[in-house]
Amino acid sequence: MYSDYVLSSFRSFSKGTSGFNQLDASSITVNYMFGNWSDRFFANTFFVYTKNHDFLSTQSVVEQNYSQSEKIRIHDRSFFTISSKLDYYYKSISSNLKLDLGYTKSEFKNSVNNSALRQVTSHNYNYGFELRSGFKGPFNYHLGTKWITSRIETTITNSFTDVVSFIDLTFMFSEIVDVHLQSERYYFGSLTSKNEYYFLDFEANYQVIQSKLKLRLTGKNLCNTKSFRNYTVSDIGTSSTEYRLLPRFVLLGLEYRF
């Protein structure tokens, strides 16, 4: 509802419509579930389609040193998403396999640098799996990988795929000693350099007095990853954000329950 431009982020200004706007939309949602959570096989599928008969888009001006965006009201926008999750328990390996599939498509229009309204189409795909054990012994694991593909189509097309993988290990040596290891790998297909990151954490617990006094040893960022950088793509540009991380460290803790 801003009637003039206000600073919204670094060198970016935004302007509203100067008033309250009621927008019309129609939506349909379908959810189908096969089986129960306790069954050997379970599946859940979710579908949503939304049609915005009118919506608030943007009229942007992008310069070298700044950008400004003004809200405008135009017609017709559609949004579609579908996701499925499937779980199956393998008795032979005492493990549960989970598949995760999803697709989202969004279509809208906007204006950049005083151009006519242009069509923008966004596609997002995600697919991955997880495998979690249910052993009765002292060892269990949980591992998985997820791929995320994004594509934005305007006058040009930007596309990239990111991958996130993890392995978690649990060791229950006895009722008083347990060890947990967590590892992660990030791969950003949109980055041309420094596009892989590895993380490893661990935690070891020793029950000095059962349910009363616990000794804990914790290690974080054992791979000593010094920074983490991610990448985003929109219909008007790309941006990269880098975070400095705490270096590798190990902590010794004592927990006492009253």
Side-chain angles (χ1 to χ4, degrees):
M1 296 182 64
Y2 294 129
S3 59
D4 212 337
Y5 287 101
V6 296
L7 184 66
S8 56
S9 62
F10 181 68
R11 294 183 179 180
S12 297
F13 300 86
S14 298
K15 180 181 179 181
T17 58
S18 304
F20 181 75
N21 293 268
Q22 288 185 318
L23 306 174
D24 295 326
S26 301
S27 179
I28 181 173
T29 302
V30 178
N31 185 58
Y32 177 74
M33 183 171 62
F34 179 84
N36 297 309
W37 290 103
S38 58
D39 294 343
R40 186 176 179 183
F41 176 74
F42 173 79
N44 186 34
T45 298
F46 187 77
F47 164 84
V48 176
Y49 177 77
T50 300
K51 178 71 172 181
N52 296 98
H53 306 293
D54 53 356
F55 68 101
L56 294 180
S57 186
T58 57
Q59 183 172 278
S60 304
V61 175
V62 181
E63 299 289 348
Q64 183 177 1
N65 296 319
Y66 74 95
S67 65
Q68 62 183 40
S69 176
E70 178 183 356
K71 292 290 186 183
I72 56 175
R73 182 172 177 173
I74 57 179
H75 301 285
D76 293 334
R77 180 178 65 175
S78 61
F79 173 83
F80 166 83
T81 184
I82 184 171
S83 64
S84 293
K85 298 182 184 297
L86 298 90
D87 288 81
Y88 186 81
Y89 181 74
Y90 288 90
K91 292 183 178 180
S92 58
I93 57 175
S94 299
S95 299
N96 190 74
L97 176 64
K98 177 180 179 181
L99 299 179
D100 192 351
L101 307 171
Y103 170 70
T104 299
K105 180 181 179 181
S106 177
E107 294 179 332
F108 61 95
K109 299 176 183 178
N110 62 12
S111 173
V112 178
N113 291 345
N114 299 315
S115 69
L117 290 177
R118 58 178 194 157
Q119 183 74 31
V120 181
T121 304
S122 172
H123 304 268
N124 288 279
Y125 308 85
N126 64 82
Y127 37 95
F129 74 94
E130 294 181 24
L131 191 64
R132 184 192 294 268
S133 67
F135 303 143
K136 295 181 180 180
F139 168 73
N140 273 287
Y141 67 87
H142 183 202
L143 58 88
T145 298
K146 186 174 185 178
W147 293 264
I148 303 170
T149 300
S150 300
R151 187 170 83 246
I152 296 181
E153 301 171 352
T154 54
T155 53
I156 61 174
T157 299
N158 282 318
S159 180
F160 60 91
T161 299
D162 298 333
V163 185
V164 180
S165 304
F166 69 91
I167 300 177
D168 298 339
L169 305 177
T170 301
F171 301 88
M172 303 293 295
F173 295 106
S174 66
E175 292 184 357
I176 63 174
V177 179
D178 60 84
V179 176
H180 306 272
L181 295 174
Q182 294 180 322
S183 63
E184 293 178 328
R185 174 186 178 267
Y186 293 84
Y187 172 80
F188 296 104
S190 51
L191 300 177
T192 56
S193 62
K194 293 184 178 180
N195 57 357
E196 284 187 287
Y197 297 91
Y198 294 89
F199 296 93
L200 177 63
D201 301 336
F202 85 90
E203 180 181 295
N205 297 294
Y206 175 70
Q207 297 279 355
V208 181
I209 302 176
Q210 192 71 22
S211 303
K212 197 77 172 178
L213 183 63
K214 180 189 292 185
L215 189 65
R216 177 182 291 118
L217 185 66
T218 303
K220 296 290 186 181
N221 194 16
L222 298 183
C223 297
N224 205 28
T225 303
K226 301 184 185 307
S227 63
F228 182 82
R229 187 159 54 117
N230 61 13
Y231 186 83
T232 58
V233 176
S234 69
D235 60 293
I236 61 173
T238 61
S239 65
S240 175
T241 305
E242 185 169 350
Y243 305 90
R244 294 181 60 187
L245 304 178
L246 289 174
R248 177 195 302 122
F249 66 89
V250 178
L251 294 176
L252 181 63
L254 190 66
E255 179 184 304
Y256 179 75
R257 289 189 177 186
F258 295 95

